[in-house]
Amino acid sequence: PSRSALGLYVDADSAAIDGPTRLRIQIGVTAGERYAGQRPAMNVAVVLDLRTAATAETNARMRALLLALDRAQQAGDRFSLLVAGRPGGLLLAPERFRHGPLQAAFTSLFAAEQSTIDAGLNVDQALRAAMRQVADVDAVVGGRIVLLVTPAALDADVDTLANTAHHGALAGIMTSVVAVSEHAATPSLDRLAQAGQGRRRVLRSNIDAAAAIDDELAMAAKVVAQALRFRIRFAPGVKLVEVIGSRRLDSEATQRVRVAERSIDRRLAQQLGIKADRGDDDDGIQIVIPTFYAGDTHVILLDVLAEHAGPLVDVSVRYKDLIHLRNNVARAMLSVASGERAAGPLQRNVLKNLLAWKVSRAAWQASYFLSRHDLGQALYVLAETKQLLRGLRHEIEAWGDDSELLADETMLTEYVTVLRTPPVTEVAHLYLAESLQVASVRKLKPIQEH
């Protein structure tokens, strides 16, 4: 898109149909690379999760992150440090967030004799305290961030933490998560970042901490649209089978989405003068995305049954255009011809995105079976999906040497090989289940690794 923040596109996996046909329809939204460039002054509160003993490696990554944040400070920034566990609470206020006090804090926090102390605030209490720390200072859109740095998966606390992050997002405070251990790279952290309308990162090396911090701070300047609301309406004779990889929200979850959307609507009216325009729901299927960044792309896949050729679907997305400071709407329609027509690159792109989802689902299902030590079912799911990819590569000439499909096929082959090589212990089952879970998430939502 060149004259607006977002572009909207609709395609199907068939160029033409003859009579009742099952189709996959792809709705794609993309943002251009244009954004503000210079990042604004930021108000960031870092929460270190130190409730349990950490390794020297994870401690080094935490230290590297904080030093990188100190080096990234610019005029007007307000950074603070809070701790969950020992000693708990606010450790460094903004006026003391600089190199000397940070080094002193490291010496105190990572002392060997304190490595097993579990006291002070829990993670949710520390998260709430961090939000209070950044709430009182005005900031631009995306300028208030709580950054949770953890070596743990937080599975037991995720419901409470996600609720806290959600309420922070309503107040314009994003919650992002940095995992400093591979064992923390689980869907629970994705859920927390999603509820807080922030990002989840994995720091695998302390030497890459500066890139992770620079990218996190720069994201405030890259917000190009907020409060995206898709409306999807089907033509007569078109029936929805499912929104692939999604689910219908219950009344409670629907209300949370409405409240979050309206909070963005009111906040942007106050801060940027973009007229508030969100009230009742639209007709048709609705999907809401809180924030969209420059260069991002998002895909929605629909499985439908079309009784005949012709118009199939009408899609619109209303959004707050932060480039042009106005309410904006993008629209697109899809019709398919009658008869037979060979699939082209657009149709193959829809099918390829469907395959990406199938690979992700297969990895997730295999992870589930392995976590219950059902080796046979795990092998069946992985082998079946591998054969599907191999068959399509042979059937579709353009995919014969496709690097992405080859990489997926190789990954599945390696898992199958490992699982068929005895002895595969129960401990190995659990390790591989965790690995497959991460592979599933990464296939659809690439992790920002640093």
Side-chain angles (χ1 to χ4, degrees), residues 256-367:
R256 287 168 71 95
V257 171
R258 288 195 188 104
V259 171
E261 182 187 20
R262 290 170 184 170
S263 72
I264 295 172
D265 190 36
R266 291 191 300 269
R267 191 164 61 249
L268 293 183
Q270 294 169 356
Q271 293 180 347
L272 301 178
I274 302 175
K275 183 180 178 181
D277 67 345
R278 301 304 167 89
D280 297 332
D281 292 345
D282 298 320
D283 60 330
I285 299 170
Q286 296 175 77
I287 298 172
V288 174
I289 298 177
T291 303
F292 218 83
Y293 296 90
D296 272 4
T297 296
H298 187 78
V299 168
I300 300 166
L301 285 172
L302 310 174
D303 188 2
V304 306
L305 178 63
E307 293 181 358
H308 48 72
L312 297 184
V313 65
D314 173 27
V315 182
S316 66
V317 56
R318 299 165 60 192
Y319 63 96
K320 305 289 181 177
D321 189 327
L322 301 190
I323 295 178
H324 301 95
L325 299 181
R326 66 190 184 200
N327 291 303
N328 216 336
V329 182
R331 294 183 173 88
M333 298 179 62
L334 175 68
S335 293
V336 295
S338 177
E340 295 185 0
R341 186 179 298 176
L346 291 177
Q347 289 74 41
R348 289 196 297 270
N349 177 259
V350 178
L351 181 56
K352 196 172 183 182
N353 281 329
L354 177 64
L355 287 175
W357 176 77
K358 286 183 176 292
V359 170
S360 174
R361 186 180 65 168
W364 190 271
Q365 289 175 329
S367 171

Side-chain angles (χ1 to χ4, degrees), residues 187-233:
S188 64
L189 301 188
D190 276 335
R191 181 182 166 193
L192 175 56
Q194 183 179 30
Q197 298 180 15
R199 292 160 292 277
R200 190 271 295 240
R201 304 173 189 277
V202 177
L203 188 70
R204 300 189 184 275
S205 170
N206 60 334
I207 63 174
D208 295 322
I213 289 296
D214 288 345
D215 190 46
E216 182 70 30
L217 297 180
M219 294 306 287
K222 294 182 179 181
V223 179
V224 297
Q226 286 200 297
L228 286 68
R229 185 197 285 191
F230 293 82
R231 184 184 66 178
I232 304 168
R233 295 186 297 180

Side-chain angles (χ1 to χ4, degrees), residues 15 79 89 135 137 148 157 160 166 196 213 223 253 255 257 276 281 284 287 293 336 393 396 398 425 437 448:
F79 299 158
V137 180
L148 175 60
D157 306 305
T160 301
H166 168 71
I213 289 296
V223 179
Q255 184 58 26
V257 171
D281 292 345
I287 298 172
Y293 296 90
V336 295
R393 283 201 307 104
I396 300 175
T425 65
Q437 196 175 74
Q448 291 148 313

Side-chain angles (χ1 to χ4, degrees), residues 68-316:
L69 188 61
D70 174 50
R71 289 191 294 269
Q73 281 198 84
Q74 298 178 2
D77 288 339
R78 289 175 55 85
F79 299 158
S80 53
L81 175 63
L82 298 93
V83 174
R86 60 185 199 280
L90 180 63
L91 190 62
L92 293 177
E95 58 272 15
R96 297 192 65 243
F97 196 98
R98 53 186 186 274
H99 188 79
L102 274 174
Q103 292 288 11
F106 297 147
T107 302
S108 172
L109 288 173
F110 302 143
E113 61 270 17
Q114 294 191 19
S115 62
T116 58
I117 294 177
D118 187 8
L121 304 184
N122 62 35
V123 177
D124 186 58
Q125 290 170 331
L127 207 60
R128 290 174 182 271
M131 289 178 180
R132 291 193 295 270
Q133 185 69 24
V134 301
D136 294 335
V137 180
D138 290 335
V140 299
V141 175
R144 296 176 184 171
I145 300 175
V146 171
L147 191 63
L148 175 60
V149 183
T150 180
L154 303 177
D155 292 341
D157 306 305
V158 68
D159 289 338
T160 301
L161 293 173
N163 186 60
T164 298
H166 168 71
H167 284 91
L170 296 183
I173 301 169
M174 292 196 305
T175 299
S176 287
V177 185
V178 178
V180 291
S181 167
E182 287 78 1
H183 298 293
T186 69
S188 64
L189 301 188
D190 276 335
R191 181 182 166 193
L192 175 56
Q194 183 179 30
Q197 298 180 15
R199 292 160 292 277
R200 190 271 295 240
R201 304 173 189 277
V202 177
L203 188 70
R204 300 189 184 275
S205 170
N206 60 334
I207 63 174
D208 295 322
I213 289 296
D214 288 345
D215 190 46
E216 182 70 30
L217 297 180
M219 294 306 287
K222 294 182 179 181
V223 179
V224 297
Q226 286 200 297
L228 286 68
R229 185 197 285 191
F230 293 82
R231 184 184 66 178
I232 304 168
R233 295 186 297 180
F234 295 107
V238 180
K239 297 179 181 179
L240 176 69
V241 178
E242 67 171 323
V243 180
I244 295 174
S246 185
R247 62 182 174 83
R248 185 185 182 93
L249 298 183
D250 60 25
S251 57
E252 181 180 352
T254 298
Q255 184 58 26
R256 287 168 71 95
V257 171
R258 288 195 188 104
V259 171
E261 182 187 20
R262 290 170 184 170
S263 72
I264 295 172
D265 190 36
R266 291 191 300 269
R267 191 164 61 249
L268 293 183
Q270 294 169 356
Q271 293 180 347
L272 301 178
I274 302 175
K275 183 180 178 181
D277 67 345
R278 301 304 167 89
D280 297 332
D281 292 345
D282 298 320
D283 60 330
I285 299 170
Q286 296 175 77
I287 298 172
V288 174
I289 298 177
T291 303
F292 218 83
Y293 296 90
D296 272 4
T297 296
H298 187 78
V299 168
I300 300 166
L301 285 172
L302 310 174
D303 188 2
V304 306
L305 178 63
E307 293 181 358
H308 48 72
L312 297 184
V313 65
D314 173 27
V315 182
S316 66

